[in-house]
Amino acid sequence: MTTSIPVPLTQFVVKMHSRCDLACDHCYVYEHADSSWSSRPKVISDGILAKAAERIGEHAAAHRLPAVRVVLHGGEPLLAGPDRLRRAAEALRSALPPGCALDLRIHTNGVLLSRAFCTLFAELDVKVGISLDGDKAANDRHRRYADGRSSHPQVLRAVALLDEPEFRHLFAGLLCTMDVENDPVAVYRALAELQPPAVDFLLPHATWDEPPKRPAALGTTPYADWLLTVHGLWEADGRPFAVRTFESVHRTLRGFSSLTESLGLEPSDLAVLETDGTFEQADSLKTAYDGAPATGMNVFAHSLDDLARHPGIAARQSGLAGLCEACRACSVVRSCGGGLYAHRYRSDDGGGSFDHPSVYCGDLMTFIKDVAGSGSSAAAAAVPSPAGEPVPTEGAEPLLPGALTPAQLDELARGYGSADTVAALGRSQLALTRAMLAAAWDASGQGRAEAWALLSALDLAAPAAVDAVLAHPYARAWAARRLAGDLSVGLGPLAALAAAAAVRAGRGDAVAVPVRGRRLYLPTLGSLAVPDGEAVVTGRPDGFEVRAADGSVRTALDEPLRRVRPGGGWTVALEDVDPLRGCHDHPVADRLGDGELLDWTGALREAWELLGRDLPGYAEGIRAGLTTITPLRPGPAGRDVSSAARQAYGAVGIARPATAPTLALLLAHEFQHVKLGAVLDLTDLYDRTDSALYFAPWRPDPRPLEGLLQGTYAHLAVTEYWGTRTLTYDGLPGEAADRARAQFALWRRYTAEAVERLAESGALTGTGLRFTDGMRTTVAPWLAQPLPAAAEQAADRARRERARA
């Protein structure tokens, strides 16, 4: 089942001006196949801007978008002038619904950038990206004025202006169009010296009709060789700035999403608005043929929902199914994604189409395979830490370097997970948390720089302290919300992480942490009451000191994080103070009273004993990886409530049930979700572009494939729980024994059926099919277990009742 709009549009390029003050000979707007610029107004009108803002706002409201990105573009957008740029920013911001953040950017060649423009952009919160192809020789090869003059000095002046402290937070990065005749070392060094927050290295636009230049002296894959040289320098320097091309290859090799539409299989969600109010597809299509980006739609007559249904945009949203046969069969397709859509065009195939590999196919394959096989960065095993140092990896025979061996993946597929295997998941999750924190901090304009600097310094001097804090399940919750566009959470949690690490390190480091709601929370430690404002936390060898905004000093927590030791070497925190713990899909409970704490302690001891007896194959992984239980509020009418949050590895949320056996079942069930979420962060088990919905046997509503996969995996533990309890009651009469047998009969059927639905979905990857085979192997012996007819009949009644519900 698919929706009428495959993917809502979230990124918009608004052409502010259709002319340019440079005459770059590699420009796809003016120098390639499409010539529509010549008939368009030079500058966009206020009426078109207002209507565009209205369209974006209604689209964001209809699809409940948490954020949209708008890039003011051209031609050269600064030619539109400061007044029109102000009106554009104000119209866009005011049109968005509450809760939808605006990521507003401008991309310029930089020659007109002035202090007045920067002051305006600081007022309007507009990030600035600048085109620069490297050193003077590289930049002047293409980026010149019409009379041949160099633009390089003016661009360097613009970058220097953005590097001033009052404007540094506006600097979005540099865009460099590759030329293989430029020295890659000189280009990299020239860009790195400017200390940009990010650099995009772009392949020059080309098609099979107009292929890119390939000087014979540079070999058959000159673009791969050029990129690999730059990539090696970037790695050797400790990845000093973000590079979307490199990071996208690293991410897709590990099963994560790409950061750019030129790589990976993620659907495009981009639309372009021209100065005359017409909607177009991606600008890169201008290189294919005259009129290629056209949609026949305009901002006054058509909504963005209409635009999202356009066949050309839909074609860029179809993932693996939208690629040619050669690409679908390729070993690197999940990283390459067929390359940029425009680069696939060929006119001599009986009418002209994009149903071809990229004209850069050989270069992309060489580059991706070299990165995947590189010892220094194989499959991005080393994710940057806050200090920029690579995260160590361990283990032999890796399926994904630094993550899981094939044997460990098979073990997880069967539902289980030894201490070593779950520890490997934990290491991969810690690396992911580090990367997300870095990305969120960078996307936040690098605010709270002193907190980030302290976290980075402690990562070198006291890494165990930083690891302990970043491994806390809710350390990632802040980053996940920021990266999703939720700016309401602020930068305070980042400072709190640094403060908690400072307290654990005990070196005397101090950091300011903002306090809201009159409570200061230190992750993994607890909270204390202080006045709102800035509180300075200092870690000392014998504890810590908090100097509050009113000058008062505290040296103790009044609500420490409490840990329980249920037995068998398992220690688990009862997290009832972290303000970010509310990422579960049920309301969290308030601070536990002393009596409630004792009740939880007793229930966990009994539940752990039952887990060790009835689910030993699951208990070992729980002991190694379940570090936190977040108490939830009770469900309605005594309904058992539990939850696992996708961005909180190591935690489950539970409303304490009435009995210890139920608590044991909930712990095992939810930790299955935790483990599978970590596996999905490492590798694709299914085609992530699949938009069909699937029925789980135990639910009346269809769900995406990941929902069916998650439910099936969790119910492996449920099946085994009831199976072992049935064996315990073997031959014994009584209500408890009858219930166990009926539940076992029900859940073994449900789980076996779900495994087959997954296998027959047609959307599983090779690894996903192997994973499903593992689940089938676990269920098979339970299906062969004989049960009384009464148990099967009770299961049939339960199935009918669930179906009616």
Side-chain angles (χ1 to χ4, degrees):
M1 180 182 294
T2 59
T3 59
S4 59
I5 302 175
V7 178
L9 303 173
T10 66
Q11 300 188 69
F12 306 93
V13 172
V14 176
K15 298 299 188 75
M16 299 299 298
H17 204 282
S18 65
R19 303 297 188 270
C20 189
D21 44 4
L22 294 183
C24 307
D25 61 15
H26 59 6
C27 180
Y28 58 86
V29 175
Y30 306 110
E31 302 294 335
H32 285 210
D34 186 79
S35 61
S36 58
W37 64 271
S38 60
S39 61
R40 290 199 168 103
K42 290 184 178 180
V43 65
I44 195 169
S45 71
D46 288 348
I48 291 174
L49 279 175
K51 190 63 179 179
E54 178 187 334
R55 291 296 194 193
I56 293 172
E58 69 185 16
H59 193 70
H63 298 281
R64 300 180 180 179
L65 299 179
V68 296
R69 172 176 288 187
V70 179
V71 180
L72 306 179
H73 212 282
E76 172 47 53
L78 294 184
L79 289 172
D83 292 341
R84 196 170 301 274
L85 292 173
R86 173 186 289 279
R87 291 196 292 275
E90 291 175 345
L92 289 163
R93 206 172 297 279
S94 63
L96 291 180
C100 181
L102 174 63
D103 179 359
L104 185 58
R105 302 179 177 230
I106 190 166
H107 195 88
T108 171
N109 60 36
V111 300
L112 291 179
L113 191 67
S114 63
R115 185 171 298 277
F117 271 125
C118 287
T119 301
L120 174 69
F121 297 151
E123 176 191 346
L124 299 174
D125 191 21
V126 181
K127 302 293 190 298
V128 183
I130 291 184
S131 295
L132 177 63
D133 288 350
D135 59 352
K136 187 175 187 300
N139 198 68
D140 286 354
R141 189 183 291 275
H142 301 288
R143 295 189 185 277
R144 290 178 173 269
Y145 288 94
D147 60 6
R149 285 180 298 129
S150 169
S151 66
H152 192 253
Q154 290 87 343
V155 181
L156 290 188
R157 177 191 53 78
V159 174
L161 188 58
L162 286 173
D163 199 40
E164 293 184 9
E166 63 182 307
F167 301 133
R168 178 71 186 180
H169 67 287
L170 301 177
F171 194 9
L174 302 173
L175 184 149
C176 172
T177 300
M178 295 168 47
D179 188 315
V180 292
E181 292 183 310
N182 287 334
D183 178 3
V185 177
V187 168
Y188 172 81
R189 293 298 182 208
L191 299 178
E193 285 175 5
L194 300 176
Q195 298 184 323
V199 176
D200 269 355
F201 293 103
L202 302 184
L203 292 166
H205 288 316
T207 67
W208 289 101
D209 290 359
E210 297 290 337
K213 64 181 178 182
R214 296 185 181 276
L218 296 180
T220 58
T221 56
Y223 295 91
D225 298 339
W226 198 97
L227 281 171
L228 287 167
T229 299
V230 174
H231 180 267
L233 295 168
W234 179 70
E235 288 277 17
D237 286 351
R239 305 183 181 185
F241 44 77
V243 179
R244 286 196 304 168
T245 299
F246 299 163
E247 291 170 354
S248 292
V249 171
H250 289 315
R251 288 170 58 87
T252 52
L253 285 171
R254 299 180 64 198
F256 301 154
S257 61
S258 173
L259 302 175
T260 170
E261 71 166 335
S262 62
L263 292 166
L265 294 171
E266 281 66 42
S268 172
D269 57 359
L270 172 73
V272 178
L273 178 74
E274 291 287 353
T275 56
D276 60 357
T278 56
F279 285 130
E280 289 202 337
Q281 302 174 61
D283 257 8
S284 56
L285 286 171
K286 293 179 185 294
T287 201
Y289 58 88
D290 197 15
T295 64
M297 299 183 182
N298 68 77
V299 72
F300 294 102
H302 302 92
S303 70
L304 289 172
D305 282 10
D306 295 331
L307 183 62
R309 297 187 184 97
H310 184 275
I313 289 181
R316 293 185 297 121
Q317 296 179 334
S318 52
L320 191 63
L323 301 182
C324 68
E325 183 177 352
C327 287
R328 291 198 301 271
C330 180
S331 61
V332 300
V333 65
R334 295 192 179 279
S335 287
C336 170
L340 192 67
Y341 189 73
H343 296 174
R344 307 173 202 166
Y345 182 72
R346 191 166 197 150
S347 63
D348 61 356
D349 61 354
S353 77
F354 297 89
D355 191 29
H356 304 281
S358 167
V359 72
Y360 291 103
C361 177
D363 294 279
L364 291 170
M365 179 175 290
T366 297
F367 178 67
I368 292 167
K369 286 190 172 182
D370 193 281
V371 170
S374 167
S376 64
S377 58
V383 178
S385 70
E389 297 296 320
V391 177
T393 61
E394 300 177 16
E397 196 195 5
L399 171 76
L400 297 160
L404 298 173
T405 66
Q408 287 175 324
L409 183 67
D410 289 342
E411 178 188 0
L412 288 164
R414 293 191 296 274
Y416 306 118
S418 66
D420 287 345
T421 297
V422 173
L425 289 179
R427 288 192 297 272
S428 72
Q429 288 291 295
L430 179 58
L432 180 56
T433 296
R434 288 171 174 273
M436 289 177 65
L437 286 171
W441 177 69
D442 185 69
S444 299
Q446 301 185 352
R448 290 283 165 187
E450 74 289 347
W452 186 259
L454 175 58
L455 202 58
S456 298
L458 289 173
D459 199 38
L460 293 174
V466 175
D467 281 351
V469 173
L470 298 190
H472 182 56
Y474 303 114
R476 194 191 303 174
W478 170 78
R481 288 174 60 177
R482 295 289 297 193
L483 291 173
D486 181 0
L487 304 184
S488 65
V489 71
L491 298 179
L494 178 65
L497 290 170
V503 172
R504 285 182 169 274
R507 302 190 319 153
D509 300 289
V511 64
V513 182
V515 177
R516 303 290 182 267
R518 302 184 64 81
R519 292 211 72 84
L520 170 66
Y521 174 72
L522 299 176
T524 74
L525 300 173
S527 74
L528 66 157
V530 293
D532 284 353
E534 293 270 313
V536 178
V537 180
T538 304
R540 303 196 183 283
D542 58 348
F544 67 90
E545 174 188 287
V546 175
R547 186 169 296 275
D550 63 356
S552 61
V553 175
R554 313 284 201 280
T555 59
L557 300 167
D558 51 41
E559 289 188 348
L561 181 63
R562 295 170 296 194
R563 291 176 171 81
V564 175
R565 294 176 175 81
W570 182 35
T571 299
V572 62
L574 284 170
E575 179 57 270
D576 55 3
V577 288
D578 191 330
L580 294 175
R581 71 191 189 279
C583 56
H584 295 276
D585 55 7
H586 294 283
V588 297
D590 296 329
R591 176 75 168 175
L592 298 176
D594 291 343
E596 293 172 305
L597 178 63
L598 288 173
D599 289 341
W600 264 105
T601 301
L604 282 170
R605 286 173 179 161
E606 290 184 56
W608 177 249
E609 183 178 347
L610 290 169
L611 286 170
R613 186 193 73 187
D614 294 342
L615 294 175
Y618 295 87
E620 184 179 354
I622 290 172
R623 178 172 53 197
L626 182 54
T627 63
T628 303
I629 295 173
T630 296
L632 304 178
R633 294 181 185 174
R639 181 172 62 88
D640 292 324
V641 170
S642 62
S643 170
R646 188 68 167 79
Q647 298 295 348
Y649 178 82
V652 300
I654 295 177
R656 186 175 61 83
T659 68
T662 302
L663 178 57
L665 175 59
L666 295 178
L667 288 169
H669 176 276
E670 295 302 339
F671 194 64
Q672 291 292 93
H673 290 304
V674 173
K675 290 189 297 185
L676 183 57
V679 170
L680 291 172
D681 283 338
L682 288 170
T683 187
D684 279 332
L685 298 183
Y686 62 94
D687 181 358
R688 294 177 189 259
T689 66
D690 178 58
S691 59
L693 298 179
Y694 301 85
F695 281 95
W698 51 85
R699 292 179 65 110
D701 54 323
R703 312 192 66 201
L705 189 66
E706 183 173 342
L708 177 60
L709 179 60
Q710 285 277 5
T712 307
Y713 193 67
H715 287 123
L716 289 177
V718 174
T719 299
E720 186 151 336
Y721 173 86
W722 289 113
T724 54
R725 293 189 73 77
T726 294
L727 293 175
T728 300
Y729 289 122
D730 187 28
L732 297 177
E735 183 178 341
D738 290 342
R739 180 171 184 270
R741 294 174 187 126
Q743 288 293 309
F744 177 43
L746 178 67
W747 285 109
R748 69 178 183 177
R749 283 197 220 168
Y750 275 160
T751 308
E753 289 174 17
V755 167
E756 298 313 315
R757 288 186 190 181
L758 286 169
E760 295 165 3
S761 68
L764 297 181
T765 64
T767 305
L769 288 169
R770 173 176 169 177
F771 200 87
T772 302
D773 283 342
M775 291 193 286
R776 184 185 290 113
T777 298
T778 295
V779 176
W782 292 120
L783 291 174
Q785 183 72 28
L787 282 176
E792 298 289 5
Q793 293 164 2
D796 288 338
R797 289 193 298 272
R799 286 171 67 97
R800 290 193 294 269
E801 289 170 3
R802 282 177 181 267
R804 286 195 295 269

